[in-house]
Amino acid sequence: IENDDMITYGIPALHFLMLCLSEVRCSAAQKQERLLGVLEQVGLEQIALVDTRYLTRLQRIAILLITVAMSNLIDGVVLNPNRIPLDMVDELVLRNVFELLYKTGKTVLFVGNNLAFAECVANRIVALTDGELAYDGEFFGFMELYNDCSFSFISEDNDFVMWLKEQYPKANYVKRNDVVSVSVEISISEYLTEILNIVLRNGIDSRNITVKKKSLKDAVTNMVNRTEEYESEEA
């Protein structure tokens, strides 16, 4: 799907879906009921009877993706996401549509640098640096490998804080006033979950714990920097 001009204008979105899914063997009433349920599931029930010419770009693309998900004749699709603007409502709709695609066993390949789109819907990522394959695997694996996640907590138990510092010397500890505020900057793939569990078991109120999550853009930047550092060392 290069853009949204593959859609037929002048008919309601529901009727367009019914035309595209003519190979589905059931009555028109059953098909309509099923499609209305799918539109409600993804958060687009309000556009069922809206003329396709009045839909937003993202709504038209969502309709095309629903067609892919529901069709027995299509195994997957290539999507160009670079011209798709996103807001919070769009993100929710996209997540729901891609969840539908995953459940129906369809593959969607999208190529480009729209990191916001990828972070919203991707479950697998292939990354290249200078034309060379840098990563091919699960999305969360990429985030763990190339992102530093951190959390901070507040504790008045100096003995516990000193013990934690001995166990995890990479952590950064900052003392403010008479209360110890501990800021931990450790890779998520190393000790973050382990330390967090220790802190919770020690009785620290979860309301005094703040977790900082970095973005896909941060992970890509870290990947590029690490690759450049490695190449410099090799040279």
Side-chain angles (χ1 to χ4, degrees), residues 170-187:
K170 291 184 180 180
N172 177 37
Y173 302 85
V174 180
K175 187 173 182 178
R176 296 189 180 94
N177 300 323
D178 295 328
V179 179
V180 176
S181 174
V182 183
S183 176
V184 183
E185 295 285 347
I186 297 178
S187 171

Side-chain angles (χ1 to χ4, degrees), residues 7 16 45 64 77 87 106 108 116 121 135 141 165 194-195 198 201 206:
I7 205 164
F16 174 78
E45 66 274 14
L64 292 172
V77 65
D87 58 28
K106 302 304 170 67
V108 182
V121 300
Y135 182 86
K165 188 174 182 179
E194 185 178 333
I195 297 177
I198 291 173
R201 287 199 301 268
S206 60

